[in-house]
Amino acid sequence: MKKYLLSTIPVALLAVMPAKVDAAIFFDNVEQIRTMAPTGTDFNSGLVREYKQLSIFEADEMYDWIDAEHFAAKSIAAHNGRDVEPEALADWSLKDRYLPEMRDARGKLMAAFAKGGRDAAPAEAARAQAKFDCWVEQQEENWQW
């Protein structure tokens, strides 16, 4: 899934939108997931929950509306029964020094999924995927600890 970009919103406008109410005008996926209940397979239900939590944190605590909307879209996709994969590293602007460790981690995650991890431990698998995606997003920002 490509990183969600809002090309119709000027960057200057994003910088002055700290209030959740103002942001709701432009970021309807974030607002939609606030009341959305997890449904679907155990794994997809876990993804809905995990991405919802991540999206709301990015919106309300970090004021990172672009990434909040991206993770909200992933939550909605899981809610609608779509296959939602861990982030593709090539879709993000990551520093070269992070890539070997992150490729290795993604490879291990995908190997665990290929061996039935989504079915054997759905809540844990969903949490691992969302945490991996969070890690990718944080590494792209390259300033938060």
Side-chain angles (χ1 to χ4, degrees), residues 34-95:
R34 288 182 189 279
T35 59
M36 189 171 65
T39 61
T41 66
D42 290 341
F43 177 70
N44 271 25
S45 179
L47 286 180
V48 171
R49 187 172 28 264
E50 294 292 332
Y51 284 127
K52 176 181 178 177
Q53 180 181 343
L54 179 56
S55 175
I56 291 171
F57 174 79
E58 287 293 327
D60 295 353
E61 302 297 325
M62 303 308 295
Y63 302 109
D64 182 349
W65 297 103
I66 300 292
D67 290 328
E69 186 73 359
H70 173 68
F71 292 122
K74 289 185 87 165
S75 184
I76 292 167
H79 177 80
N80 291 334
R82 292 185 36 215
D83 290 334
V84 178
E85 294 292 321
E87 290 298 327
L89 299 178
D91 291 344
W92 294 77
S93 298
L94 300 167
K95 298 210 179 282

